[in-house]
Each structure stands twice: as C-alpha cells, then as structure tokens.
Amino acid sequence: MAYTSSKGFLYRGSMISPSEPVVQSFIIDNSKTITIGDAITLAAGFATVSAGVGGDNIAGICVGIVDASGIPVWQEGADVDGTLTGDDTYASAADNQTDKKCKVQVVPTTTALWYNEADSTLAQAEEGLYFDLTNTGDQVTGTGNATKATMQLVKMLSTASGPNSFGEGLFKIAESYFQVAAA
C-alpha cells in the first residue's frame, strides 16, 4: 500500500479482548479529507477529523473508507466522486452527505490500543496520563496531563526508532463520543 502519511493511529490490540475489533461506519461530512489512522468525531451525525482539543469526543479511529455499498474507495468498481491520494487518504465531494454517501470505518471502543508516535518525547512518568491531539487528528501532542483529555497513554514503548526517539506509545480513546453521560 502507498500510504501518504507516516503519522496516524495504528491498531495494536485490545486491553480486554483478543478478537478483532468491532468496526462502525459513518457517512463522511461534505468536503472533508480523512486519512486512515485519523481520530474521527461526529458533527451533526457526519464524520470529520477530530480538531484534537479536549472535549472533542472521538467516535473512533479510522481503519477504512468505503462507498455506500461497503466497497473500499480504492477498489475498482467503488462508487465515489471525491479525491483519492495514495492508499490511505480520501477527500469527500461537496455533496457527499446526499449523493455518494462514502463512509469512514472506525473502531469505536475505548479498550482498543493504538500505536502512535507523539509530537514530542514521552516519559515513563506519563503512563496513565492524558493527551490532546494535533489539529490534524493523527498524533498526540504535548505533555501528559492528569486532567482528562482525548487520548490516554497506556504504555510507553521504549524504542529509539523514528524521528521522535522515545515518543512512541500505546494509547486508548479517553473521551469517547459514545461514553455514558454523567448523571
């Protein structure tokens, strides 16, 4: 596959289940660019990339993009009128909500573990702390904080690969679009 981005969240397992993750589909909002690995939120019922700030509840992490019939948008015969870039990025048409209705496939669970390379170095002391996302919705940002934010660092990975040595970790969604409302 010819991925256009080296960033994004990659599925690495579950905290409670060894089985494959559940996937949910949402129609992509008009004129939105989504890349596999982006954190997705819903705006008026349509999928868009998370702005990355605390309180921007995540519907899930994008693991696929399909047409209204469920055919991957990069596959021959898919019914799309947006723009494809590489094998991972799709820009929806201005009338996607009502015409082609291409969908983003997300893993919505808060128990899934996602590999991500932070935009800064992670420290062992940040395990269990919370992080916001960059405004592109594909990378955790800043220093871990005890105040609940979009993602939570479950495990720091002590590898020195990549441009941000020791900036790699396994994260879970901390602020879910589908969380139980406070009483």
Side-chain angles (χ1 to χ4, degrees):
M1 297 184 82
Y3 284 155
T4 58
S5 175
S6 60
K7 298 177 187 170
F9 290 90
L10 303 171
Y11 181 76
R12 290 294 185 256
S14 171
M15 294 175 64
I16 61 171
S17 172
S19 64
E20 289 295 315
V22 172
V23 175
Q24 179 69 42
S25 297
F26 299 100
I27 296 172
I28 300 169
D29 200 357
N30 295 335
S31 304
K32 299 299 179 191
T33 299
I34 295 179
T35 301
I36 292 175
D38 283 348
I40 303 298
T41 192
L42 300 178
F46 295 98
T48 188
V49 175
S50 171
V53 295
D56 193 10
N57 294 332
I58 304 300
I61 303 296
C62 174
V63 294
I65 303 169
V66 297
D67 70 7
S69 299
I71 299 171
V73 294
W74 294 276
Q75 187 172 317
E76 187 174 331
D79 188 18
V80 298
D81 59 1
T83 304
L84 304 171
T85 304
D87 289 331
D88 67 343
T89 303
Y90 171 72
S92 64
D95 60 354
N96 188 64
Q97 292 177 6
T98 56
D99 185 18
K100 300 299 182 186
K101 298 183 180 179
C102 290
K103 300 175 184 177
V104 62
Q105 295 178 315
V106 301
V107 174
T109 180
T110 58
T111 59
L113 295 173
W114 300 97
Y115 166 86
N116 192 258
E117 188 174 307
D119 74 345
S120 60
T121 301
L122 297 174
Q124 186 68 40
E126 291 178 301
E127 279 191 7
L129 296 182
Y130 299 94
F131 293 79
D132 282 325
L133 302 176
T134 60
N135 62 5
T136 55
D138 61 1
Q139 194 175 27
V140 297
T141 187
T143 302
N145 192 306
T147 303
K148 191 171 184 182
T150 309
M151 303 296 284
Q152 182 178 26
L153 177 60
V154 175
K155 181 168 181 60
M156 186 183 109
L157 300 177
S158 57
T159 64
S161 63
N164 297 323
S165 297
F166 300 104
E168 300 164 319
L170 295 179
F171 296 83
K172 71 179 215 58
I173 296 171
E175 292 182 321
S176 172
Y177 191 83
F178 303 105
Q179 64 196 0
V180 176

